[in-house]
Each structure stands twice: as C-alpha cells, then as structure tokens.
Amino acid sequence: MADGKREEAQLPDGSLDRQLEATILALLAARAATSTICPSDAARAVGGDTWRDLMEPARKAARQLVDAGEVEITQGGSVVDPATAKGPIRIRRKR
C-alpha cells in the first residue's frame, strides 16, 4: 500500500515494532497495575487516523513483549499462548 503507515510497517529495521512495544509499555505504566489494554490502544496512539493498519503490528509487538517476559496476553481474564490466541486479546503487565 502507498500510505505511510503501511510502508513504515514493512521497514526491516524494526522501528515500528520498537515504537509499538514502547507505546504498549507506556500505556500500561500509566494505568493501575491490574489494568489491561487492547492492542488497538497502542495502534491508535501510534497510527492516528490509520490505526487500523497497525492492528496486526500491535499484536506482533505484544507477542514480542511476551517473549521478552514483559507482558502477558489474556482472553477472558486468563493468560493465553500468543501463538495460538484467536480473536480479541488484552495485554497486561506480567504477574
């Protein structure tokens, strides 16, 4: 696609991944320790009007933070394996 966010999402240097990871961590830090966020919160913060294009990159960033031991991904309040999670997810600080 020709819009800036799609092109940025495909950059090999990982800058969008790092920006989304940092945004996820900042959003969680600004909330209560027991709170969760949706990947769309990070996508909206980074992508503005084109946030929908960043939903899969935001989910990917969350999975990378799980791998780094920073966060957990939940569905229905239970921790799930990010590799197999389908449908809506939430992100929380690791407990």
Side-chain angles (χ1 to χ4, degrees), residues 12-94:
D13 69 358
S15 61
L16 180 62
D17 289 346
R18 288 191 300 279
Q19 185 178 8
L20 285 164
E21 289 173 11
T23 300
I24 289 168
L25 294 175
L27 288 169
L28 287 171
R31 298 189 183 189
T34 57
S35 293
T36 64
I37 63 166
C38 179
S40 67
D41 296 326
R44 284 183 176 98
V46 172
D49 291 340
T50 61
W51 68 269
R52 284 178 182 86
D53 293 337
L54 297 183
M55 280 303 296
E56 185 49 40
R59 289 173 66 98
K60 177 184 173 196
R63 290 190 299 268
Q64 290 171 300
L65 288 170
V66 167
D67 291 344
E70 298 282 336
V71 302
E72 297 172 326
I73 291 178
T74 65
Q75 287 183 315
S78 298
V79 176
V80 295
D81 180 351
T84 59
K86 302 286 184 212
I89 62 170
R90 303 289 297 176
I91 307 164
R92 72 180 186 196
R93 289 185 187 109
K94 186 156 176 130

